[in-house]
Amino acid sequence: MRAMLSGENADPRLTLLFAYPFRIFFLSLAVLAIVVVPVWVMVVTGKWILPTALPGLYWHLHEMLFGFLTAAIAGFLLTAVCVWTKTERMHGVPLMLFWLVWLAGRLLLAFGGDLPFWLMQAVNLLFLPLIMLDAGWRILRSGQKRHNVILVVLGLLWVMQIAFVNTLNINYVDGALVLAMALAGIIGGRITPAFTVGWLRQNGGNPDVVKVSPRTDFATLVSLLLLLAMLVIGWRWGEVLFALTSAILMLVRLTGWHGWAARSEPLLWILHISLLWIPVALILMAGHLVFGWESTAWSHAAGVGVIGSLILGVIARVSLGHTGRPLQLPGGMVLAFTAIQLAAVVRVITALGGLPWSPGIGLSALLWEIAFVIFLLRYTLILSSPRADGKTG
């Protein structure tokens, strides 16, 4: 394996893919996004039967949350933590082994229906702890305690995964979605206003209009964690209370960040709009609990609108910055950003009965496909090529 990456006959593109975590994981999550959604549509419409280790619906839920999302977490966090803590990145053979754990989880879930169930569990439940261990020891060595909150949220996400694969209880998927929104709020709350300030400063705007309130940030996180607790214990009115509280707090944060001031920059508006889906999802959740709105409305607002959209926006930016390229979107990416937003809108409208079910999920899946196919077409060469500035990584 070492010879594959460093020997005389090593493929330079393969070596580069494992030179930094973001390279291999961003490409892998895009491939997974392109494959899993149409396969799920074929399975749910009865056209395909896969020998999955979990029943079809549960396989889909697991792969979008603990396959797609965790690949994004690995690619972003294992790259960012190295920068934050000024530690040497994971690369080469260790990174390849790390990625193979993630890949084995995907293959076992899709084709391991006849294999021992414990094997699927063991491999899939290994990946998040590996992320936490790698990030955790770097954070511990650097003494940067402010990053510990990310590890806490990842730990709770792992607990939701353990509970879900052992019980197949959808409540734990809901809990994982809430934690994904909490993680989006933490990471998004750090990068979105900071990037907006930088852009306004460089483009003649007024960076002082962007306001960040650490107290509001903390209150939002606490409110989401309390919502998680309500979901676990099953107190419906507690869920309503904290869903609406979290929605209001997130709207206050977003208003302070003045996203409309950077509306002409796609790399910024995609982040602001993605985070705007958090209060939308939470309001739809409250509507489900109080008025009986279809639960898939809020879950897809979170899954497509928050998670899918924010991941696409972040990986588009990080892939440019960490390969030494100007922050200028490749052609077609504005269409990709638009498509992912429309995918979320169409899926939510379909869940609420505004569109027929089969055409609705078909159109939403097509828009999702367009977004990630464009990313793969425009970024594969970028992610498998040397840095434009000649630096290592």
Side-chain angles (χ1 to χ4, degrees):
M1 186 178 291
R2 189 175 298 277
M4 291 173 60
L5 297 180
S6 58
E8 292 182 3
N9 297 321
D11 186 335
R13 292 202 182 278
L14 181 63
T15 302
L16 279 167
L17 282 177
F18 292 96
Y20 233 114
F22 75 91
R23 290 180 179 269
I24 186 61
F25 279 109
F26 288 179
L27 282 177
S28 297
L29 74 85
V31 172
L32 185 67
I34 292 167
V35 170
V36 165
V37 170
V39 168
W40 162 241
V41 172
M42 297 295 282
V43 169
V44 78
T45 55
K47 296 177 181 177
W48 282 4
I49 298 176
L50 281 179
T52 53
L54 294 175
L57 172 62
Y58 303 104
W59 168 76
H60 169 68
L61 294 172
H62 187 281
E63 288 306 85
M64 297 313 297
L65 271 171
F66 303 110
F68 175 73
L69 175 60
T70 57
I73 291 170
F76 175 81
L77 190 62
L78 298 184
T79 298
V81 167
C82 295
V83 176
W84 297 339
T85 61
K86 296 181 172 58
T87 52
E88 178 60 30
R89 72 200 187 280
M90 182 193 295
H91 63 284
V93 172
L95 179 56
M96 177 178 279
L97 293 172
F98 195 90
W99 174 75
L100 286 172
V101 172
W102 175 85
L103 179 63
R106 313 287 62 76
L107 295 175
L108 283 171
L109 268 171
F111 304 108
D114 295 327
L115 296 174
F117 191 67
W118 64 262
L119 180 61
M120 179 281 293
Q121 287 182 304
V123 174
N124 275 279
L125 294 177
L126 180 61
F127 190 63
L128 268 172
L130 288 176
I131 296 176
M132 290 185 283
L133 282 172
D134 186 81
W137 79 264
R138 297 173 192 276
I139 291 169
L140 181 65
R141 281 184 56 188
S142 69
Q144 297 182 17
K145 296 181 180 179
R146 68 186 294 260
H147 303 311
N148 287 340
V149 64
I150 297 175
L151 299 178
V152 170
V153 173
L154 289 182
L156 290 172
L157 185 64
W158 186 47
V159 171
M160 292 298 106
Q161 184 186 18
I162 293 170
F164 175 61
V165 298
N166 279 284
T167 66
L168 299 185
N169 188 327
I170 299 296
N171 285 344
Y172 297 115
V173 172
D174 293 345
L177 283 169
V178 169
L179 288 168
M181 289 190 284
L183 191 61
I186 295 168
I187 301 298
R190 293 183 182 183
I191 66 175
T192 304
F195 291 164
T196 304
V197 166
W199 185 87
L200 289 172
R201 186 174 287 122
Q202 293 172 7
N203 290 274
N206 179 12
D208 294 334
V209 300
V210 178
K211 306 295 182 183
V212 176
S213 169
R215 288 184 178 180
T216 308
D217 296 350
F218 180 71
T220 306
L221 175 60
V222 170
S223 182
L224 285 167
L225 293 180
L226 288 171
L227 172 59
L228 172 67
M230 298 301 104
L231 283 167
V232 171
I233 66 176
W235 184 27
R236 177 180 294 264
W237 290 109
E239 295 173 44
V240 174
L241 171 63
F242 289 110
L244 292 176
T245 301
S246 301
I248 292 168
L249 289 168
M250 194 67 206
L251 283 171
V252 170
R253 295 178 73 194
L254 288 165
T255 301
W257 299 345
H258 271 67
W260 54 88
R263 59 187 176 276
S264 62
E265 174 50 64
L267 281 169
L268 287 175
W269 64 248
I270 185 65
L271 302 181
H272 286 276
I273 293 178
S274 299
L275 293 169
L276 182 60
W277 277 103
I278 294 178
V280 171
L282 292 168
I283 291 168
L284 288 169
M285 176 193 282
H288 162 65
L289 294 166
V290 176
F291 303 113
W293 298 349
E294 176 59 49
S295 64
T296 54
W298 86 261
S299 64
H300 283 91
V304 181
V306 181
I307 300 171
S309 177
L310 188 62
I311 286 173
L312 186 61
V314 169
I315 66 178
R317 185 185 184 101
V318 170
S319 298
L320 295 175
H322 279 280
T323 57
R325 290 169 170 79
L327 295 179
Q328 298 174 353
L329 274 179
M333 283 305 296
V334 173
L335 174 59
F337 288 171
T338 303
I340 195 73
Q341 297 302 321
L342 291 175
V345 170
V346 169
R347 189 63 185 85
V348 169
I349 290 174
T350 301
L352 294 174
L355 287 171
W357 184 77
S358 186
I361 66 166
L363 177 57
S364 179
L366 176 62
L367 290 163
W368 171 279
E369 291 292 298
I370 289 170
F372 283 97
V373 166
I374 291 173
F375 174 84
L376 204 60
L377 290 174
R378 302 303 296 173
Y379 277 86
T380 296
L381 186 60
I382 291 172
L383 289 167
S384 59
S385 298
R387 286 180 60 106
D389 56 10
K391 294 181 181 180
T392 302

